[in-house]
Amino acid sequence: AKLIFTTSLFLGTTITISSNHWITAWAGLEINTLAVLPLISKSHHPRSIEAATKYFLTQATASTLVLFASMTNAWHTGQWDITQLTHPTSCLILTSAIAMKLGLVPFHFWFPEVLQGSPLATGLLLSTIMKFPPVVLLVMTSPSLNPTLLTFMAISSAALGGWMGLNQTQTRKIMAFSSISHLGWMTIIISYDPKLTLLNFYLYTMMTAAVFLILNTNNTLSLSTLMTTWAKNPTLSAMLLLTLLSLAGLGPLTGFLPKWVIIQELTNQDTAIAATVISLVSLLGLFFYFRLADWATITLPPHTTNHMKQWHTNKPVNTSIAILTTMSTMLLP
């Protein structure tokens, strides 16, 4: 069953990103949604069933809006081609549909809840590969979308992702808010240079995958259990520190590269104010990455925690974790 679900997931993604016609893009999105639902509700815990229901409802609404936008456009222009989205109302509806698919502000409420209810491995899929088809659709339609609206949504996503992540104690929710603020950075540049959006998405995927795999290896679901992980695998904790700082966008790590080129491009496009504002609000995100990193590596004893210390493990670290953490710290230097 797992094989069928993962195959369908990749199939749906491939159908969407390789399609020219709106209906095939929509079909790919639907296959994706249906394939990931069993992976979310796998544990049959009430929380995960709730997460799967929320996920299904939001994604179904978003898919309906995608169909509605493309049909309105076809009605007015006779075009079913994705790149020929010219009718202004269709563009507005499509922007809201894709924002709902991605979890951009103001349609972000479902994402932290769904991520909190799913296992870490599914959380990784939800925050990386499930975001890929909508991002591609956004890139393909970007010339006809409204830049002011996108910039507004982007800045509010970066700000809210930072603010709401400040007080969280659950690692999955923190990763969800981090994802929302990163999506803000991707959206702000899309009307000027869509290639930078894709670059940012690839690097974000790599760093997020590294963080999720490390959390999965340590079986860390909340900050209080993160305090005891250094005893189990000190090297992995040190790598988690570096990857989190990279995700926060500190130079000279990989995560600094997309922020750097995006700010540069925004300044070249005479939107220096937007660049300044989004840089300032991403400092909020920096705080909670620091908090995660601090709890993972700097809270060594003596400190008060009621949790059992974990046994030190001598198992070699998974190769994919090694490759991903190295890339998410070393690509820019």
Side-chain angles (χ1 to χ4, degrees), residues 25-39:
W26 168 81
L29 289 171
E30 285 299 298
I31 293 173
N32 248 353
T33 305
L34 292 175
V36 87
L37 282 174
L39 298 177

Side-chain angles (χ1 to χ4, degrees), residues 275-288:
T276 313
V277 173
I278 200 167
S279 314
L280 287 175
V281 293
S282 65
L283 289 175
L284 292 164
L286 182 64
F287 176 79
F288 66 74

Side-chain angles (χ1 to χ4, degrees), residues 130-147:
M130 296 303 288
K131 300 271 165 113
F132 189 41
V135 164
V136 170
L137 286 180
L138 201 58
V139 167
M140 286 166 79
T141 53
S142 58
S144 46
L145 300 180
N146 181 353

Side-chain angles (χ1 to χ4, degrees), residues 8-237:
S8 317
L9 227 141
F10 283 103
L11 175 75
T13 308
T14 315
I15 289 176
T16 304
I17 62 180
S18 57
S19 59
N20 291 317
H21 195 288
W22 273 114
I23 297 292
T24 43
W26 168 81
L29 289 171
E30 285 299 298
I31 293 173
N32 248 353
T33 305
L34 292 175
V36 87
L37 282 174
L39 298 177
I40 299 176
S41 57
K42 193 170 62 186
S43 64
H44 295 296
H45 188 275
R47 191 74 193 256
S48 56
I49 301 292
E50 182 191 341
T53 315
K54 283 177 178 169
Y55 185 75
F56 172 72
L57 290 173
T58 44
Q59 298 298 315
T61 314
S63 297
T64 317
L65 284 175
V66 167
L67 263 188
F68 186 49
S70 50
M71 284 167 73
T72 323
N73 187 61
W75 177 261
H76 282 284
T77 61
Q79 276 287 354
W80 277 103
D81 198 354
I82 293 184
T83 48
Q84 304 288 326
L85 190 78
T86 45
H87 195 256
T89 317
S90 307
C91 294
L92 274 177
I93 298 173
L94 185 86
T95 310
S96 57
I98 285 185
M100 206 180 286
K101 279 264 176 215
L102 288 171
L104 273 172
V105 173
F107 306 105
H108 62 289
F109 295 101
W110 62 273
F111 190 53
E113 297 295 321
V114 168
L115 218 58
Q116 181 56 30
S118 21
L120 281 167
T122 313
L124 168 62
L125 286 177
L126 284 175
S127 20
T128 55
I129 194 171
M130 296 303 288
K131 300 271 165 113
F132 189 41
V135 164
V136 170
L137 286 180
L138 201 58
V139 167
M140 286 166 79
T141 53
S142 58
S144 46
L145 300 180
N146 181 353
T148 321
L149 177 67
L150 286 176
T151 307
F152 176 71
M153 284 166 80
I155 290 177
S156 42
S157 294
L160 273 173
W163 259 312
M164 294 172 77
L166 292 181
N167 217 6
Q168 301 296 333
T169 53
Q170 300 290 327
T171 47
R172 286 170 294 187
K173 275 202 172 168
I174 292 181
M175 291 310 292
F177 289 118
S178 128
S179 177
I180 292 170
S181 54
H182 273 273
L183 283 166
W185 278 90
M186 289 173 220
T187 321
I188 198 164
I189 197 66
I190 196 145
S191 18
Y192 306 112
D193 195 347
K195 286 195 183 67
L196 288 186
T197 300
L198 284 177
L199 169 80
N200 193 350
F201 181 77
Y202 297 144
L203 293 178
Y204 153 77
T205 301
M206 192 175 67
M207 298 181 289
T208 307
V211 173
F212 265 111
L213 288 172
I214 293 176
L215 293 177
N216 197 24
T217 309
N218 286 338
N219 201 7
T220 316
L221 294 178
S222 70
L223 283 182
S224 47
T225 46
L226 193 62
M227 285 170 95
T228 60
T229 52
W230 63 268
K232 182 179 179 184
N233 204 329
T235 3
L236 208 53
S237 292

